[in-house]
Amino acid sequence: NAGVTQTPKFRVLKTGQSMTLLCAQDMNHEYMYWYRQDPGMGLRLIHYSVGEGTTAKGEVPDGYNVSRLKKQNFLLGLESAAPSQTSVYFCASSTRSDNYEQYFGPGTRLTVT
Amino acid sequence: DAKTTQPPSMDCAEGRAANLPCNHSTISGNEYVYWYRQIHSQGPQYIIHGLKNNETNEMASLIITEDRKSSTLILPHATLRDTAVYYCIVIPRNNNDMRFGAGTRLTVKP
């Protein structure tokens, strides 16, 4: 099992550009999450999904959109990147909502100039 | 949601037990205590969780006080590879918004 994988690992964007981050998991987990981590801070939840075709907002959803067309994939989109979105983005998955044993991917380091 | 308070940093000698405290004085009856750690810049790793009883697994032990207002994560024989930021998280059942605070930076020294 690869667990949770994220693509790309690094990316530099100019302000106003768009991009999509891909998260994939091969553990047949129902729940998937996107977090961001700014320097020296803990993780903050952006959006999450409780199953294929469903998404919900987390603590800091503004400026991001997500889609879960397939159970194993969770996409995070930035339509018009801003310098404030410079961060490390982590994806995670878990089996169900009352089990917070989340499995995290290695992260995507995004810089917006 | 209950807030947690953790010391910003701690040191531990290699081979000794590392005891990481967490204060969650406003915890509610249906809220669990979870511990994660983040080694360097990797994704966080689940360690252990509990509701009111003490818990032990292959990685650590979790001691929760009887009034549930605080807990301690114990790494029984710390190694250099346990150097990481440790997060104590309190979250109600069926709530998907897990909040990570600043955590405790544990440094294990030889």
Side-chain angles (χ1 to χ4, degrees):
Chain A
N1 282 358
V4 179
T5 57
Q6 293 183 230
T7 308
K9 289 184 169 52
F10 302 93
R11 185 73 185 266
V12 178
L13 286 180
K14 293 189 187 317
T15 298
Q17 287 185 320
S18 64
M19 77 163 295
T20 300
L21 283 66
L22 170 64
C23 175
Q25 52 94 6
D26 61 2
M27 296 173 284
N28 202 35
H29 285 170
E30 289 294 329
Y31 294 80
M32 296 187 74
Y33 313 81
W34 275 107
Y35 294 87
R36 62 177 286 175
Q37 184 173 32
D38 299 327
M41 297 180 65
L43 282 71
R44 293 184 292 170
L45 183 66
I46 305 171
H47 286 280
Y48 64 95
S49 168
V50 301
E52 185 177 323
T54 69
T55 63
K57 294 179 180 180
E59 182 185 359
V60 288
D62 294 342
Y64 306 95
N65 56 74
V66 288
S67 63
R68 183 105 180 265
L69 299 179
K70 294 183 180 180
K71 185 177 182 179
Q72 63 268 33
N73 295 338
F74 195 27
L75 305 178
L76 178 71
L78 286 73
E79 289 187 348
S80 180
S84 61
Q85 294 178 302
T86 293
S87 190
V88 180
Y89 292 85
F90 289 101
C91 175
S93 69
S94 66
T95 54
R96 61 183 191 270
S97 68
D98 60 349
N99 177 353
Y100 301 107
E101 184 176 347
Q102 295 185 10
Y103 294 81
F104 283 81
T108 294
R109 188 172 297 276
L110 175 66
T111 301
V112 183
T113 60
Chain B
D1 289 351
K3 285 183 65 175
T4 60
T5 303
Q6 299 178 252
S9 64
M10 293 180 63
D11 290 341
C12 177
E14 188 178 19
R16 296 293 192 105
N19 297 289
L20 293 94
C22 180
N23 182 286
H24 32 80
S25 59
T26 59
I27 192 170
S28 300
N30 67 338
E31 291 179 318
Y32 289 78
V33 180
Y34 272 73
W35 283 85
Y36 277 76
R37 73 180 182 183
Q38 187 172 24
I39 297 173
H40 195 43
S41 301
Q42 299 175 20
Q45 176 189 26
Y46 165 83
I47 302 173
I48 199 167
H49 76 278
L51 182 62
K52 46 186 167 183
N53 297 323
N54 298 337
E55 302 287 346
T56 295
N57 63 21
E58 64 279 1
M59 286 183 68
S61 294
L62 174 61
I63 308 298
I64 302 175
T65 57
E66 194 168 338
D67 62 9
R68 302 187 70 236
K69 293 185 176 182
S70 65
S71 60
T72 301
L73 177 75
I74 301 172
L75 308 178
H77 305 287
T79 70
L80 299 179
R81 286 176 292 183
D82 291 321
T83 292
V85 177
Y86 287 77
Y87 299 100
C88 169
I89 300 163
V90 169
I91 186 165
R93 198 177 182 89
N94 294 326
N95 182 321
N96 291 291
D97 193 354
M98 194 159 62
R99 301 286 175 102
F100 289 77
T104 295
R105 181 172 298 278
L106 175 69
T107 303
V108 181
K109 299 185 174 181

